Amino acid sequence: MMPEASTLAPRIDHLFFALVGLSLVIVLLVGCLVAGFAVRYRRGSKAQRGQLPKWITRDVELGWTAATFFVAIFIFWFAASMQTSEFEIPNNAMEIHVVAKQWMWKLEHADGQREINTLHVPVGVPVRLVMTSQDAIHSFFVPAFRIKQDVLPGRYTETWFQATKPGTYHLFCAEYCGTDHSQMTGGIVVMPPAAFARWSEGAAAQGTLAAQGAVLFRQLGCSGCHGKSARVRAPSLAGLYGTRQPMAGGGFRQVDEEYLHDSIEQPQKDIVAGYTPVMPSYQGIASEGDIIRIIAYLKTLKAGGRQ
Amino acid sequence: MNSDPTRGGIPERGAEPPSYLREGTTVRSWLTTTDHKRIGILYALAITFFFALGAVAAALIRAELVTPSGDFLTNDEYNQAFTLHGIVMVWFFLVPSIPATLGNFLLPMMIGAKDVAFPRLNLMSWYVFMAGGLLALFAILAGGVDTGWTFYTPFSTLYSNSHVLLAALGVFVVGFSSIATGVNFIATVHLLRARGMTWMRLPLFVWAMYTTSLVMVLATPVLAMSLLLVVAERAFGLPIFDPRSGGDPLLFQHLFWFYSHPAVYIMVLPAFGVVSEIITCEARRRIFGYQFMVYAMVVIAVIGFMVWGHHMFVSGQSAFASMVFSFLSFVIAVPSAIKVFNWTGTLYRGQIRFSAPMLYALGFIGLFTIGGLTGLFLASVPLDVHLTDTYFVVAHFHYIMVGGSVSAFFGGLHFWWPKITGRLYSERLAQFAAISMFFGFNFTFFPQFIMGTMGMPRRYHDYPPEFQPWHVMSSVGALVLGFGYLWPIFYLGWSLFRGERAPANPHGATGLEWQTRSPPPKDNFDRLLVVDQEPYLYHPKESTPDEVEQAHAKQKP
Ligand SMILES: [Cu+2]
Ligand SMILES: [Cu+2]
C-alpha cells in the first residue's frame, strides 16, 4: 500500500499492523456483542431473560477494567521501546542542513551543494537533517521514510533516516504555513552510492560549507574579536563544539548547533562566564544559510590552534 | 411500567398553568426570557445557523478536493474555508451543542428544579455567545481568516494577512459564554437538586453535564489567555512567540492544547450522557455499572488535563515529555473503553427497541469505538510521527466529534423532541435519517484513514494524484452524510406543525423530566418532587425487563 523506503519504515509498519489487528479484534468483539444482543434481546423476542447472577456486575467490571488497562500499558511499552531505540541518531550520519521558508525547502550538503525542494541522498547511508525555519513553523515529512519533524524558527530541530531503496519520494510540508502550504512539496531522490558520488562531483565548485563559513567568519568581522590578534577579549572558538561552557549566571551549556546558533543571533541570551557581553547580535545580518556555514566552519576548528 | 418516582409529591395548585411555549409568544418575550427551556431553544436556533455555515464550508472543501489541482477556490480561499469550518464547528457548534441546548433544557428538569441557579446569567451567556458569533461572522465577511482553527504562532501573529484579530476576539468572547454556562450548571447541580436526589441518584446525563462544566470552567480561561497573547503580539507587537525577540513559538502550542485537549471532552462527555439515557430507556434496562460510569467520567475530566502534549510529538518537545504524554494518553483510553463495554453490557438481557434515538445511540457506540481505537495509534509516539498532520488525524477526530458527538446530539434531539415541542415525529423517517447518517459518515471518513496512512497531509489544497480515488470516495460519502443531516429538517419541521400531540412520557422513560407534561409548564413541574429511587429503574433489581413486561401485560384487559 505504501512504499517502505527507510530502515525505520518496516518497524513502524510492524507497530501499525499490530495495532490494526488489535483494533479489528476489539471492533469485532464490540460489534458482535452489540449486534448479537440487539438481535437476541430485541423487544418481544423469545430469548430467556433470567436474572443476572449477583457477581456479574462487579467482577465483570473489574475484569475488563484491568484487561483494558494492561492492553493499554502493553501497547505503550511496545511503542515507547521503539521510540527510544529508533530515534537515536547514528554518529557517522551524513549531515544535511535544511532551511524552510514560506514556501520552499532549501537543502544544503556538507560539501557545499545546494538544492531547492529536492534532496539527493545515497542509499544505505544514515542522513541527519539539521533544520530551521526563516519564518513560520513548517514540518519536514517524508511518508515513505515514516519521518516527520517540525521545523521551527529560531532553533534547530533534528531528524534522521537511512534510505533503503533507490527512487524518488514525496517530501511534504506537514505543518500549515499559509497560502502555498500545499505547494511546499518536493522530492527526495535516493540513488545508489556510485550514482550519488557521480552526482555530487558535479557541484563542489563553491567549496565546502565549512570553507564558505571561513570566508563569512572574516567578512562578518567575527575574526576581529575571536581571531588570534584581536584586541577585544573574546573566547576562543577553537575546539568549542561538543564541550560544556560555563555561563555567567552559573551553570553550564552544552555547545551544540542550537547553542552556536543562539550565540550568533542572540548573544545576550547566554553569556560565557568571565567575558563582558560586547558581542553584537547578527540577527538580520547573517542569514540562516550563513549561520549554517559558520557553524560548519566552527565545527572544523581543532582545539589548540587559534583561528 | 415503572413505579412513579414522584410518589409522595404534594400537589401544588389546582388549575394547570400553560406550557412554557404559551407563556408569552412575542419575540420580546423570547429575547428577555430567563426560562432555561427557552434559552435552550434560543441556543438551538443559533447553533443550527452556525452548523449550517460550517457545513457549507465543509461542502466547499469536499467539492474542491474531488480533483488534485485547484478548481474553483484559490489557495487562500481554500485555506479560509477549512479555517472557517474548524472555528465555527468547534466553538460555535460542538462546544455549545449538547450542553447549551439539551443541557439547558433538561438539566434542571432532571434534578427536579424549576430553573438553573442563575437564570439571568444564563440569558447573558446567550447574548455573549451571539456577540462572539457576530465577531466571527464579521471576520468572515471582512475577508476571512486563514490560520486554521489552531491559530498556531508565529504564523498567526506575524505572517498571516487575514483577519486573525477579529476571529480570535470572537472565540475569546464566546469562551465566556461557555464559562457562564459551566458555572451555572455546577451551581445548579449543587444547590437545586430535589429532595432525595442524592449524587448517586443523578442520571448520567446530569453527571455528564457536571463534569463537562468543570472542564469548561477550568480550561476555557487558558484558551482566553492564549488568544489574548496572540492579540498582544499581532496588534501591539509585544514579543511573546517571535523567536527573533526571544519569544517561544512553542509556548502557544502548549497553552492552546492545554485547553483544546480538554475541549475534546467538553464535546464528548455530554454525548456520553445522552447515549446513556437513550440506551437504558430503549433497552428497558438499568445502566450496567452506574458507579463505574460516573467514575469514568470524573477520571476522564481530570486526566484530560494532563495529556495535551500528545499533539506535539513532532513539535520539538523533549523525547521524555513525549513519552510521559504518551503514557497518560494510553491511561485515559481505559475509562473510555469502560464506558463502551458498559453500554454494551446494558443491552444484555434487555427488551431492545430500535427507535430512531436508539439507532443514533448504537451508531455512536460503533463510531466512538473506532475513533477511540485510532486514538491509540496517535498516542504511540513512533506511529504518531508518521500519522500526525495527515488525514489520519482528520478522520480520527471526526469519528470522535462528528461520528460520536453529533450522532449523540441528533439522538438526543429526537429522544427529547416530544418533551421539548410536545409533538411526535415520524419514527420511520427518523430511522431512515439515522441510518443514512451512519453510512454516510463512514463513507466520508473511513477513506481518510487510508489516505492519511499513505501520507496525505491535511490542509492541502493541491495534492498528488495518487490520493484522488480516496478523496473522490470521501466527497461522495459527504453527499450521503449531508442528506442525513438535511432530512431531519423536513420531518421535524413538519412535526412541529402537523405532528401528533405527544403524551407526557411517550418512551416510558424513568427520568424526572418525563414526569411532567409535554411541553412542560414554565416552572417545569406542577407539584413538588421527592425522589426516593435510583435512576434507570426500568425493572426492579431482582427481576428482568422481561418479567416486568409480562407482569405489565397481564394487568391490561
Ligand atoms: Cu510549510
Ligand atoms: Cu488531545
Side-chain angles (χ1 to χ4, degrees), chain B residues 516-530:
Chain B
T516 184
R517 287 175 277 139
S518 301
K522 180 166 180 300
D523 288 339
N524 295 343
F525 302 99
D526 293 325
R527 48 190 188 147
L528 275 179
L529 299 183
V530 178

Side-chain angles (χ1 to χ4, degrees), chain B residues 94-136:
Chain B
L94 277 167
V95 166
S97 63
I98 297 179
T101 59
L102 295 174
N104 250 327
F105 196 100
L106 297 166
L107 178 92
M109 301 184 69
M110 285 185 166
I111 60 174
K114 282 185 180 174
D115 205 322
V116 290
F118 310 117
R120 276 178 295 176
L121 178 66
N122 203 11
L123 180 63
M124 191 192 91
S125 88
W126 184 75
Y127 280 103
V128 171
F129 177 83
M130 294 308 282
L134 281 181
L135 277 171

Side-chain angles (χ1 to χ4, degrees), chain A residues 5-84:
Chain A
S6 72
T7 48
L8 183 63
R11 303 202 48 184
I12 299 285
D13 289 1
H14 187 61
L15 178 60
F16 179 79
F17 286 111
L19 277 176
V20 169
L22 177 87
S23 305
L24 277 180
V25 169
I26 296 180
V27 167
L28 281 180
L29 182 80
V30 172
C32 290
L33 282 177
V34 168
F37 291 162
V39 173
R40 194 169 151 79
Y41 300 114
R42 68 188 179 280
R43 167 154 277 197
S45 75
K46 294 262 161 3
Q48 277 303 309
R49 292 174 176 84
Q51 269 183 50
L52 286 189
K54 272 251 150 32
W55 57 270
I56 218 170
T57 330
R58 203 160 202 94
D59 288 12
V60 165
E61 194 86 52
L62 288 175
W64 65 40
T65 306
T68 36
F69 190 75
F70 284 119
V71 170
I73 298 303
F74 174 75
I75 309 172
F76 166 73
W77 168 80
F78 188 11
S81 58
M82 179 182 277
Q83 180 195 357
T84 38

Side-chain angles (χ1 to χ4, degrees), chain A residues 148-159:
Chain A
K148 183 183 291 120
Q149 173 61 53
D150 282 6
V151 181
L152 280 73
R155 75 179 260 209
Y156 287 114
T157 52
E158 297 178 5
T159 185

